[in-house]
Amino acid sequence: MTITPKKTNSINNFILLKYLFSLLILLSFSSPLWANIGNTIKPKAEHSSQCVKIIRALERYHYLEKNLDDKMSSVILDRYLKRLDPRKQLFTLEDINSFKRYQFRLDNELKRGNLNTGFKIFNLYMARSKERLEYISLMIKTWEKELDFNKTDFMIIDNDLRQWKPNTQTLYSLWEKELKNHIISMILDDQEKSSIKDNLDRIYSNRLKRLLQTDSNDIFQVFMNTITASFDPHTQFFPPRASEDFDIHMSLSLEGIGAVLQTEYEYTKVVRLIPKGPADKSNLLMPGDKIVGVGQGKNGEIKDTMGQRIDHVVKLIRGPKNTFVRLKIIPAKKSDSTKTIQIKRDKVKLEEQSAKKSIITIDHNNKALKIGIIEIPNFYIDFNAYHKGEKDYKSTTKDVKKLLFELKEENIDGLIIDLRDNGGGSLKEASQLTGLFLKSGPTVQIKTKYRITRLYDDDPTIEYSGPLIVLINRMSASASEIFAGAIKDYNRGVIVGTRSFGKGTVQELQPLGKGKLKITSAKFYRVSGESTQNLGVVPDLKYPQIYKIEDTGESSLDGALPWDTTVRTSYNSYRKLQGIHSKIFVQYQKRSLKDPGLNYLNKRIEMISKLNSQTSISLNLNARKSRKKYYEQLELDIENDYLKAIGKDPIEKFDQDGAKTSDFKKILMNQTHLVMADFIDISSDFGFLW
């Protein structure tokens, strides 16, 4: 499809049209700007009393022991503006300057339950959003005639580089560029020209409809959660409406596809996938992807979800077993494009979540080495059976203990514990699992505002005493990091993979009026005194980073608590492994130069990094088409180079679903087999015993 340049009179007509529309908008603002959507939305009396309770609870119970003062007031205002207008396309420099008078007043207002400032700013956000949606809707009617896709133009997509526009009239160019980019994306997604106008009409009219449905409870929740997020991103207020469906908010584990979601400004972002769940098995969705539309069944209309509350998006995605849901996503690995995927809903089967073992035999230096592998998707325990005193309750530690017995019967030479994508679970199980590989001692430290407590392994029995590798990735979180950190601190094994998630905080749930407050009350620390928070666990041997670190993990969350240290506790570690680490690294580096799998991963990561490093995007249709064609060819070349290297036939066209995360994980597991073989030899040469 080609779009011909406009004639000069079309340009003049469009400028005149925009001027008249701008004039109408300016005239409509002759009344106070706060009152631009019908009646100004005001806080309720119950909101005021609830606000006071939230502030008192935060100051009293939060781990940081912060007081709401002038400094926090400034942080809250900045976060509120960023939450409402992350792309700087609604508020102007005039607005921002007018907001400055509230910079050091919010703390005093909030302590008194005065919510007027928060509601005033939100009402302006509503008025400006309505203006934007109506302006874009007007442009949609004549986009084919009036928008020029052949001129050299661009749009800044890095929000940090965007500047506040001086006044409302200068916002119109941003809104026009937004529409142009939307249309180009639709064209590149092969949408028919005849359907673009209707689809755009539907999308923007639905967004306006949702905007106009905003009520005082919505504003209160947004404002309160800006305040809680100014303490840390895991502290959150759930009003009565959300409390009724609290399980969804706590785990956001969707009945149907198995994904953990969070709101990131106007997007719904995938935080992680439930191991062995439908989304994980599909290999179509990955952490960092942003969901922008949801459709029901194989052919249902994709409904736009931009700007929707997460509970609304959750309800669209959830559904009966064996039905299909279609998700329109902005892939983490290609942030300038969209694609639609289809996932069959199902329940995560408990047996698939259990620890599993396998054995592989590899030839290494003229020896056949048996390597045992135990994959642990999460740290589970049947709490009900445990508290009832039943002896046969199911748990990670009990299952792994049994698997270790079976592997020892097979005379394995080394053991790999695979914790990739393990999002955590029971702290007790992480501690007890550690104890299977140690004589005895502390396993983790939990620090609150008032004290440090420690969990211990008091059982001197060691279930496995051979060479041990713990394999982690960016999605290994919480309890996984506690286990990996303890193994690392005790020098009990080698940690390989990529930097872990960095979730090192503990949250408690407190009833608060008619709602609930999830509040950060403690931090985890390793026995060495190092926190697992933010930094995570850094592997001894680093693998290529499959997940985009800027979009995943604790460090990607705005305002995440920092990494720090506390007192080192007393523990008896094994002999230091630095000599082994260096020799394993040398062997790995030698292989990486000629290993087809590692070269393939590194090329793909380099391509994706280059693709996502752009801070602006062209609004010239031909330039965008050329760019898309270039990266499609590059991806095809990388894929065919790999297929050729492993003895397979090349492909003519790259299937977007062809390069699966599971394939990448398999490449890294194969590499871990070789690392283990080196570890077995080197530890034997050095005379290591555990």
Side-chain angles (χ1 to χ4, degrees):
M1 173 185 138
T2 57
I3 297 177
T4 55
K6 307 173 301 181
K7 295 179 181 179
T8 306
N9 63 341
S10 296
I11 298 174
N12 293 333
N13 289 339
F14 188 53
I15 292 172
L16 178 61
L17 188 63
K18 287 202 293 184
Y19 171 77
L20 291 173
F21 185 72
S22 304
L23 184 61
L24 285 171
I25 290 171
L26 289 172
L27 289 173
S28 71
F29 285 165
S30 58
S31 58
L33 204 47
W34 313 113
N36 210 48
I37 295 187
N39 297 321
T40 300
I41 304 175
K42 296 180 180 179
K44 300 176 182 177
E46 63 194 61
H47 293 151
S48 179
S49 59
Q50 188 77 300
C51 172
V52 172
K53 292 175 184 176
I54 291 170
I55 300 303
R56 287 175 180 172
L58 289 170
E59 291 187 329
R60 183 173 181 182
Y61 299 114
H62 195 276
Y63 174 81
L64 290 180
E65 297 185 272
K66 280 185 178 179
N67 287 320
L68 194 57
D69 54 15
D70 284 356
K71 183 178 179 182
M72 281 289 288
S73 176
S74 180
V75 170
I76 290 168
L77 179 61
D78 289 343
R79 287 187 187 278
Y80 194 43
L81 298 177
K82 187 175 181 181
R83 176 172 288 203
L84 295 180
D85 190 12
R87 293 188 288 178
K88 298 185 177 69
Q89 61 175 359
L90 297 173
F91 296 134
T92 66
L93 189 59
E94 290 176 348
D95 299 326
I96 299 303
N97 288 334
S98 72
F99 296 153
K100 285 182 179 178
R101 66 179 182 272
Y102 305 118
Q103 187 174 6
F104 302 116
R105 285 169 34 183
L106 278 175
D107 54 326
N108 297 321
E109 291 179 1
L110 291 168
K111 287 178 181 178
R112 297 193 305 269
N114 183 344
L115 298 166
N116 290 337
T117 297
F119 273 69
K120 279 183 178 181
I121 293 173
F122 202 101
N123 274 291
L124 176 57
Y125 156 78
M126 291 268 289
R128 202 63 57 67
S129 295
K130 180 173 181 285
E131 179 184 355
R132 167 180 156 268
L133 292 171
E134 289 178 340
Y135 183 80
I136 291 174
S137 295
L138 183 67
M139 288 193 292
I140 289 170
K141 299 182 187 305
T142 56
W143 76 266
E144 290 181 75
K145 295 180 180 179
E146 307 300 346
L147 295 184
D148 185 356
F149 293 86
N150 295 317
K151 70 177 183 179
T152 301
D153 197 6
F154 69 94
M155 181 175 75
I156 296 173
I157 57 174
D158 186 332
N159 292 339
D160 292 334
L161 296 180
R162 284 193 167 194
Q163 302 293 320
W164 298 109
K165 291 293 184 179
N167 50 54
T168 53
Q169 290 142 306
T170 53
L171 290 174
Y172 302 145
S173 62
L174 285 182
W175 301 341
E176 180 180 324
K177 287 182 177 183
E178 177 191 343
L179 178 61
K180 287 182 71 173
N181 183 54
H182 198 159
I183 293 170
I184 290 173
S185 297
M186 296 171 87
I187 294 170
L188 296 180
D189 285 344
D190 298 321
Q191 287 199 31
E192 294 292 332
K193 180 180 176 182
S194 57
S195 67
I196 287 178
K197 178 182 176 296
D198 289 341
N199 288 338
L200 287 171
D201 269 332
R202 185 164 53 251
I203 289 170
Y204 284 94
S205 63
N206 284 338
R207 290 182 186 179
L208 180 58
K209 182 180 178 181
R210 289 199 300 268
L211 178 75
L212 297 177
Q213 290 172 343
T214 303
D215 60 25
S216 60
N217 291 325
D218 296 321
I219 300 175
F220 179 70
Q221 185 177 358
V222 172
F223 191 35
M224 286 301 102
N225 278 319
T226 302
I227 296 164
T228 60
S230 299
F231 282 75
D232 87 289
H234 298 291
T235 295
Q236 190 173 1
F237 171 68
F238 298 97
R241 176 180 55 202
S243 297
E244 292 171 4
D245 206 6
F246 186 71
D247 287 342
I248 293 175
H249 286 270
M250 282 298 289
S251 66
L252 295 179
S253 173
L254 306 181
E255 178 188 344
I257 69 168
V260 178
L261 306 179
Q262 72 180 26
T263 299
E264 185 177 85
Y265 307 122
E266 68 264 61
Y267 298 108
T268 299
K269 189 172 85 170
V270 179
V271 179
R272 67 180 180 89
L273 305 179
I274 307 301
K276 311 302 179 185
D280 182 38
K281 289 179 181 178
S282 75
N283 285 298
L284 300 175
L285 197 66
M286 71 180 294
D289 289 349
K290 296 181 178 72
I291 298 172
V292 296
V294 180
Q296 305 304 320
K298 294 183 177 181
N299 302 305
E301 176 193 343
I302 300 290
K303 294 185 177 179
D304 175 61
T305 59
M306 289 281 286
Q308 282 208 38
R309 289 203 318 261
I310 195 166
D311 52 341
H312 286 173
V313 181
V314 166
K315 287 175 182 176
L316 290 172
I317 297 175
R318 296 170 77 195
K321 178 181 176 181
N322 294 328
T323 60
F324 289 91
V325 63
R326 290 160 66 232
L327 305 177
K328 186 176 182 181
I329 62 172
I330 300 174
K333 58 185 180 181
K334 291 183 180 178
S335 58
D336 67 339
S337 64
T338 63
K339 71 173 182 176
T340 301
I341 62 174
Q342 179 176 286
I343 298 174
K344 188 177 182 179
R345 298 180 176 106
D346 200 354
K347 289 185 178 180
V348 178
K349 298 177 177 65
L350 184 61
E351 61 270 20
E352 292 185 349
Q353 287 281 293
S354 301
K356 289 181 175 61
K357 79 174 194 306
S358 60
I359 298 176
I360 64 109
T361 302
I362 64 173
D363 294 323
H364 183 74
N365 294 337
N366 300 318
K367 291 186 293 185
L369 297 177
K370 272 189 178 181
I371 299 173
I373 303 162
I374 296 180
E375 180 186 3
I376 305 175
N378 60 38
F379 287 87
Y380 51 89
I381 182 172
D382 185 343
F383 278 110
N384 290 333
Y386 172 74
H387 289 305
K388 288 178 182 177
E390 297 177 13
K391 292 183 179 180
D392 294 330
Y393 69 88
K394 187 173 180 63
S395 77
T396 303
T397 305
K398 292 180 71 174
D399 287 350
V400 171
K401 188 174 181 179
K402 180 182 176 183
L403 296 177
L404 287 173
F405 176 80
E406 295 170 359
L407 290 172
K408 286 187 292 184
E409 289 287 296
E410 296 280 349
N411 295 314
I412 61 170
D413 297 292
L415 174 69
I416 298 169
I417 298 289
D418 187 358
L419 295 181
R420 290 177 297 174
D421 298 331
N422 183 321
S426 168
L427 174 62
K428 174 180 179 292
E429 286 303 306
S431 176
Q432 292 194 346
L433 185 72
T434 306
L436 299 183
F437 304 94
L438 306 174
K439 289 180 181 178
S440 62
T443 55
V444 64
Q445 304 186 82
I446 305 112
K447 183 180 180 183
T448 67
K449 292 195 299 183
Y450 311 107
R451 67 181 70 87
I452 295 177
T453 57
R454 299 177 180 89
L455 298 186
Y456 287 85
D457 166 41
D458 296 320
D459 186 353
T461 305
I462 298 177
E463 298 298 329
Y464 173 76
S465 58
L468 173 67
I469 282 179
V470 180
L471 179 57
I472 60 175
N473 68 1
R474 185 60 169 167
M475 294 296 108
S476 303
S478 195
S480 294
E481 296 172 295
I482 289 168
F483 175 80
I487 295 299
K488 184 180 177 78
D489 289 338
Y490 275 91
N491 298 317
R492 176 57 191 89
V494 177
I495 314 300
V496 303
T498 57
R499 185 177 136 197
S500 63
F501 193 93
K503 173 65 166 64
T505 57
V506 183
Q507 283 73 41
E508 292 181 358
L509 183 63
Q510 296 184 0
L512 201 68
K514 294 181 181 179
K516 293 183 176 74
L517 184 66
K518 179 163 67 83
I519 191 166
T520 297
S521 58
K523 282 179 81 172
F524 291 127
Y525 290 86
R526 289 158 45 178
V527 293
S528 61
E530 294 183 51
S531 172
T532 58
Q533 169 63 18
N534 206 312
L535 179 64
V537 176
V538 178
D540 303 310
L541 177 65
K542 296 180 182 179
Y543 282 168
Q545 178 69 258
I546 294 174
Y547 297 108
K548 187 180 174 186
I549 203 164
E550 295 85 1
D551 283 345
T552 57
E554 188 78 6
S555 60
S556 71
L557 300 178
D558 197 12
L561 298 188
W563 177 89
D564 63 353
T565 61
T566 189
V567 294
R568 175 190 174 99
T569 190
S570 177
Y571 66 100
N572 296 317
S573 62
Y574 293 96
R575 184 176 160 192
K576 291 185 178 180
L577 297 173
Q578 277 91 337
I580 288 181
H581 293 163
S582 60
K583 286 186 174 292
I584 285 176
F585 176 75
V586 169
Q587 294 296 98
Y588 170 76
Q589 285 292 93
K590 285 181 181 178
R591 279 194 304 273
S592 66
L593 295 174
K594 54 185 178 182
D595 184 88
L598 290 176
N599 283 329
Y600 169 65
L601 285 183
N602 284 321
K603 285 179 181 178
R604 284 194 61 87
I605 290 167
E606 183 182 356
M607 178 195 71
I608 292 166
S609 177
K610 184 179 178 182
L611 186 65
N612 290 330
S613 64
Q614 60 182 353
T615 57
S616 63
I617 194 166
S618 174
L619 296 177
N620 179 287
L621 181 59
N622 288 328
R624 287 280 285 277
K625 284 180 176 179
S626 297
R627 188 173 188 274
K628 181 183 179 184
K629 185 178 180 181
Y630 169 78
Y631 278 104
E632 285 177 346
Q633 185 62 48
L634 179 59
E635 194 163 25
L636 179 64
D637 292 343
I638 292 171
E639 197 71 18
N640 280 331
D641 286 346
Y642 175 57
L643 293 173
K644 182 179 178 182
I646 60 176
K648 292 187 177 182
D649 294 331
I651 54 177
E652 293 184 5
K653 185 177 180 181
F654 185 76
D655 179 2
Q656 291 299 318
D657 302 330
K660 300 180 184 296
T661 306
S662 58
D663 297 333
F664 306 155
K665 291 175 69 176
K666 185 177 179 181
I667 289 170
L668 294 178
M669 177 55 83
N670 290 338
Q671 192 58 222
T672 308
H673 299 159
L674 301 175
V675 174
M676 174 55 83
D678 292 335
F679 186 16
I680 292 168
D681 279 356
I682 296 166
S683 61
S684 176
D685 293 343
F686 280 20
F688 269 83
L689 295 171
W690 291 278

